[in-house]
Amino acid sequence: MAKKQFKAESKRLLDLMINSIYTHKEIFLRELISNASDAIDKLAYLALTDQNVGLSRNDFAITLTTDEKMGILTVSDNGIGMSREEMEENLGTIAKSGSYQFKKTMEKTEEVDIIGQFGVGFYAAFMVAEAVSVISKKYGEEQAYLWQSAGADGYTVTPCEKDGCGTDVILKFKKDTEDEKYSRFLKDYELRALVRKYSDYIRYPIRMEVEKTREKEVPEGAEKPEKPEYETYREIETVNSMVPLWQRAKKDVKQEEYDSFYRDKFYDFEAPLSVIHTSVEGAVSYKALLFIPAKAPYDFYTKDFKKGLQLYASGVLIMENCEDLLPDHFRFVRGVVDSQDLSLNISREMLQHDRQLKLIAVNLEKKIRAELEKLRDNDAEKYEKFFDAFGAQLKYGVVADYGIHKESVQDLLMFRSANAEKRITLKQYVDAMPEEQKKIYFAAGEGLGRLAQLPQAEPVREKGYDILYFTDEVDEFVAQALGVYAEKQFCNVATDDLGLESAESKEETEKRDEEAKPVLEFVKNTLGDKVREVRLSRNLRSHPVCVVPEAGMSFEMEKYFSRVNPEFKEKVGRILELNAEHPVFAALRKAMEEDSAKAEKYAKLLYDQALLIADLPLEDPTAYTDMICSLMQ
């Protein structure tokens, strides 16, 4: 029979489909299985009104058969099949979709879930096959037909024999090359893996003959060998699970099933802390099964970590990591989303537009936040475990994107409390504040012990007010991004005005400033450019000295920027504060009157001590040691 040409500028378009539309060659199997599932859907739908079909839902199946020696893979179904005319239309015209036409016909009568809508998935076979044959017999017809093609040169359609309706797609694989091993698609383990990756939740069983091993039986009366002998045999096995966990009603799923699914699907040895199982009908209908892990993956806080949920369209995997479904502050969530309403592009590997995704993402964010709030309020131990693993990510979420997510995340944050000696939320801090307290006080640094001894915090402790310890490098940026919480301003006890001075106290301090002016000028002249200013402290009680930064960046921020960018050279201006009520101040004043050289050593010593208290490096540790020794002598 004469070879026919494709109807859609065949060579150029087919070349484009084979080489450009699909990014992974393994996708061909997903496409062929999806087409087979669609064909069965059509016959199953017909069986509802036509008793002559003679097949129940349990009779339908998709079968994979391999011939490694000949390099052939056959994908078979017992679905509706195709007539000669439909072969011409569906296989001879690229981008002509029988599934799409069927779905459009049925939309007015009943919702039908059809996967393949673009008519190009079949041609993915040419990415791996040098020749493709299709044997099909339509339900209700006597004659079967054979469609054959070796690519863009055209195709033939001839009558043939076939038992029963349905379709066999037969792929003759290309020869292996250095870059691509096509023969791998004939291996049992490879086919099984691809089915489970992309088509595990196709609603019909996908069967294939797999090689297995068993112990040889010893004939009756024969001597049993010292070591057991084994033999291989082949057996038909269903390799897909068909009904995904998320399609089942929540009340019918046990916790052990959720845990097992999570461990197997996301390769975690530990059960998840929490499970979110939801089904939504509306503008966009979808089902989701989400998990909050108990611990962070080893690469979670690295650029190598891939966030996102697995995205399915009617049980077929479309994207392994759909990033658009999760905001960054919830990037730790693992799970799957399955929807029939996604607008997929021609290759079914991406979405044509993201309106549906945005709706789903907004709903999922609310669900995740609600689940975390429930965990926080009802299971403190679990929430502490969660926060140990992912608290930093929530904090990064506050400062990211110029703080647009801060209100969504702020009530999930926890910080170490000086009074409670444990982590508390911002709401718990504010609820426990005395009525006269106006600010949320915090101290930032690397160690709890050092923060507990911070000299500037003494006035806050005297009042009995709580202090939050900021020990994560992002914490100060969080306070800066939030600004206020529950109308209470954040206040760094080491740098900000504590707001605790009375009018009388301020008046007395200003009087002391004037009296101490000669001492302050002497210390500034001695230290020179090392400090921007020397002044009396409003906050020191039992300590003689401290150093505070100029307005703007704190010392902890300076350390952070130096750590992430070693070339960062800008230092925050240092302001030295002295305690006029401390005996050391009187000793300094006396030394100025009696021994100016000794007074200069005192000034330098006080500055170095202030640096040590602030956990800042000494410019010259040796000189500091020599100075102490000289004063001791």
Side-chain angles (χ1 to χ4, degrees):
M1 184 176 180
K3 185 177 290 187
K4 297 188 177 184
Q5 295 297 313
F6 291 111
K7 296 180 181 179
E9 296 188 2
S10 59
K11 185 171 180 58
R12 184 176 178 187
L13 190 51
L14 188 55
D15 283 346
L16 175 67
M17 290 180 179
I18 293 171
N19 299 315
S20 301
I21 289 179
Y22 294 98
T23 55
H24 304 292
K25 286 184 169 60
E26 63 188 30
I27 293 296
F28 84 91
L29 187 62
R30 179 191 76 178
E31 296 300 314
L32 295 182
I33 289 175
S34 296
N35 289 345
S37 175
D38 289 347
I40 295 175
D41 279 337
K42 295 170 188 176
L43 189 56
Y45 181 81
L46 187 61
L48 297 176
T49 55
D50 186 349
Q51 295 181 353
N52 294 323
V53 171
L55 293 172
S56 70
R57 186 173 185 84
N58 295 331
D59 296 322
F60 293 116
I62 299 165
T63 304
L64 308 181
T65 309
T66 59
D67 184 335
E68 284 197 63
K69 190 172 183 181
M70 299 300 293
I72 290 174
L73 169 67
T74 302
V75 180
S76 304
D77 68 71
N78 56 347
I80 193 76
M82 289 180 285
S83 65
R84 181 185 187 120
E85 291 73 21
E86 287 169 333
M87 275 189 164
E88 294 274 1
E89 285 294 305
N90 297 337
L91 305 183
T93 304
I94 298 175
K96 172 73 174 181
S97 171
S99 295
Y100 179 73
Q101 295 300 326
F102 175 74
K103 185 173 183 180
K104 294 297 287 184
T105 303
M106 294 299 106
E107 273 177 352
K108 296 179 181 178
T109 58
E110 183 178 337
E111 183 178 351
V112 177
D113 181 16
I114 293 293
I115 304 167
Q117 298 178 29
F118 300 101
V120 299
F122 166 75
Y123 295 95
F126 286 102
M127 290 191 299
V128 297
E130 60 184 28
V132 179
S133 302
V134 180
I135 298 173
S136 192
K137 183 177 180 180
K138 181 160 184 171
Y139 168 73
E141 295 191 359
E142 295 295 326
Q143 184 63 58
Y145 292 93
L146 168 65
W147 182 98
Q148 290 179 297
S149 176
D153 289 340
Y155 64 92
T156 60
V157 181
T158 56
C160 68
E161 296 296 321
K162 176 174 171 55
D163 294 331
C165 63
T167 302
D168 301 332
V169 180
I170 305 161
L171 280 63
K172 170 68 174 174
F173 283 111
K174 298 175 181 178
K175 302 297 182 184
D176 287 348
T177 65
E178 288 186 7
D179 297 328
E180 188 62 60
K181 302 299 181 186
Y182 298 100
S183 59
R184 67 189 173 97
F185 297 121
L186 294 165
K187 304 294 184 184
D188 293 349
Y189 64 85
E190 182 76 17
L191 288 175
R192 187 191 287 110
L194 291 179
V195 168
R196 288 180 177 171
K197 179 177 181 180
Y198 292 108
S199 308
D200 198 32
Y201 306 117
I202 290 290
R203 61 176 66 86
Y204 306 107
I206 301 172
R207 296 170 180 156
M208 58 182 285
E209 193 177 58
V210 298
E211 187 174 278
K212 295 190 173 184
T213 304
R214 64 189 171 196
E215 187 177 342
K216 279 186 178 180
E217 289 187 10
V218 179
E220 190 175 346
E223 186 178 348
K224 190 174 183 180
E226 292 184 9
K227 292 184 179 180
E229 296 179 359
Y230 295 91
E231 62 182 0
T232 59
Y233 67 102
R234 298 190 72 79
E235 180 177 283
I236 299 295
E237 182 182 277
T238 298
V239 292
N240 64 321
S241 58
M242 288 179 281
V243 181
L245 206 59
W246 60 83
Q247 293 287 2
R248 291 162 56 186
K250 188 175 180 179
K251 63 182 177 60
D252 297 331
V253 184
K254 297 178 181 178
Q255 185 61 45
E256 306 88 77
E257 293 179 280
Y258 285 131
D259 294 348
S260 178
F261 176 89
Y262 169 76
R263 288 192 184 101
D264 293 343
K265 195 77 171 174
F266 301 104
Y267 310 108
D268 197 343
F269 294 109
E270 196 166 342
L273 279 182
S274 192
V275 179
I276 303 169
H277 188 171
T278 182
S279 178
V280 175
E281 301 289 336
V284 179
S285 298
Y286 66 92
K287 297 180 188 295
L289 183 56
L290 311 181
F291 301 91
I292 298 173
K295 61 180 180 181
Y298 72 93
D299 62 346
F300 181 73
Y301 289 105
T302 73
K303 62 182 180 181
D304 296 326
F305 179 78
K306 291 183 179 179
K307 80 161 187 173
L309 303 175
Q310 292 185 354
L311 180 63
Y312 288 79
S314 302
V316 177
L317 179 66
I318 302 302
M319 297 178 70
E320 186 78 32
N321 298 96
C322 186
E323 296 186 2
D324 293 337
L325 287 172
L326 286 177
D328 258 4
H329 47 277
F330 291 153
R331 68 200 293 261
F332 48 82
V333 174
R334 314 310 298 265
V336 298
V337 174
D338 192 350
S339 175
Q340 302 173 19
D341 297 339
L342 301 176
S343 298
L344 304 179
N345 74 349
I346 196 170
S347 70
R348 288 193 288 202
E349 290 184 281
M350 291 179 272
L351 304 175
Q352 285 184 307
H353 56 81
D354 61 358
R355 182 183 65 84
Q356 299 106 321
L357 271 195
K358 285 180 179 177
L359 286 173
I360 295 173
V362 168
N363 290 338
L364 291 183
E365 182 177 7
K366 292 177 182 176
K367 280 283 184 183
I368 295 167
R369 185 168 62 250
E371 185 66 22
L372 290 173
E373 288 171 350
K374 187 173 85 171
L375 209 60
R376 177 200 65 199
D377 297 338
N378 301 326
D379 196 330
E381 186 178 342
K382 269 193 177 181
Y383 194 75
E384 279 273 349
K385 186 173 183 179
F386 157 77
F387 205 83
D388 281 338
F390 302 110
Q393 186 60 43
L394 295 181
K395 293 174 182 179
Y396 290 130
V398 171
V399 302
D401 300 325
Y402 305 100
I404 62 174
H405 305 292
K406 62 184 181 182
E407 291 183 3
S408 175
V409 183
Q410 62 185 7
D411 285 320
L412 298 173
L413 302 180
M414 299 186 82
F415 302 95
R416 187 72 61 179
S417 156
N419 288 356
E421 297 184 344
K422 65 177 183 179
R423 284 199 190 107
I424 62 171
T425 65
L426 293 174
K427 184 178 185 303
Q428 287 171 324
Y429 180 95
V430 170
D431 287 348
M433 285 171 55
E435 188 176 343
E436 70 275 9
Q437 184 180 340
K438 305 302 180 187
K439 299 184 179 185
I440 298 173
Y441 295 103
F442 70 87
E446 292 184 14
L448 293 176
R450 191 182 72 80
L451 294 178
Q453 300 299 321
L454 201 64
Q456 298 98 310
E458 287 184 343
V460 180
R461 294 194 191 93
E462 285 177 0
K463 290 281 190 179
Y465 299 164
D466 198 1
I467 299 173
L468 296 177
Y469 291 153
F470 284 7
T471 53
D472 288 341
E473 60 185 19
V474 69
D475 286 346
E476 268 195 281
F477 296 97
V478 170
Q480 198 174 68
L482 291 176
V484 297
Y485 176 83
E487 300 181 351
K488 306 292 184 182
Q489 187 175 1
F490 284 87
C491 177
N492 188 335
V493 297
T495 63
D496 300 334
D497 179 6
L498 301 180
L500 300 178
E501 275 191 302
S502 62
E504 295 81 4
S505 178
K506 284 184 179 179
E507 191 174 325
E508 288 179 14
T509 303
E510 288 172 1
K511 190 183 297 184
R512 285 201 305 271
D513 285 344
E514 190 61 32
E515 293 173 356
K517 198 171 183 180
V519 179
L520 302 178
E521 289 178 350
F522 174 83
V523 175
K524 176 65 176 82
N525 291 335
T526 300
L527 298 177
D529 293 338
K530 292 181 180 179
V531 294
R532 297 288 176 86
E533 182 186 349
V534 180
R535 65 191 184 197
L536 292 186
S537 173
R538 269 68 173 165
N539 300 328
L540 292 176
R541 295 292 187 269
S542 62
H543 290 76
V545 67
C546 68
V547 62
V548 298
E550 282 187 309
M553 188 164 58
S554 71
F555 294 141
E556 294 306 314
M557 290 181 176
E558 176 190 298
K559 293 175 196 174
Y560 168 77
F561 287 121
S562 297
R563 189 159 51 248
V564 298
N565 181 14
E567 296 181 3
F568 180 82
K569 302 298 182 185
E570 186 177 345
K571 286 187 176 182
V572 185
R574 272 72 166 142
I575 297 175
L576 190 69
E577 292 192 347
L578 301 175
N579 182 359
E581 303 299 315
H582 198 278
V584 164
F585 189 83
L588 175 61
R589 189 194 295 271
K590 183 178 180 182
M592 283 175 55
E593 297 170 355
E594 298 176 356
D595 186 345
S596 60
K598 188 176 185 179
E600 287 179 1
K601 288 183 179 180
Y602 279 174
K604 294 175 182 177
L605 180 62
L606 286 171
Y607 174 66
D608 284 347
Q609 288 177 331
L611 292 179
L612 291 172
I613 292 171
D615 200 23
L616 294 170
L618 297 180
E619 295 175 11
D620 189 346
T622 302
Y624 171 74
T625 304
D626 292 343
M627 186 164 49
I628 290 178
C629 291
S630 67
L631 289 170
M632 290 176 68
Q633 293 172 5

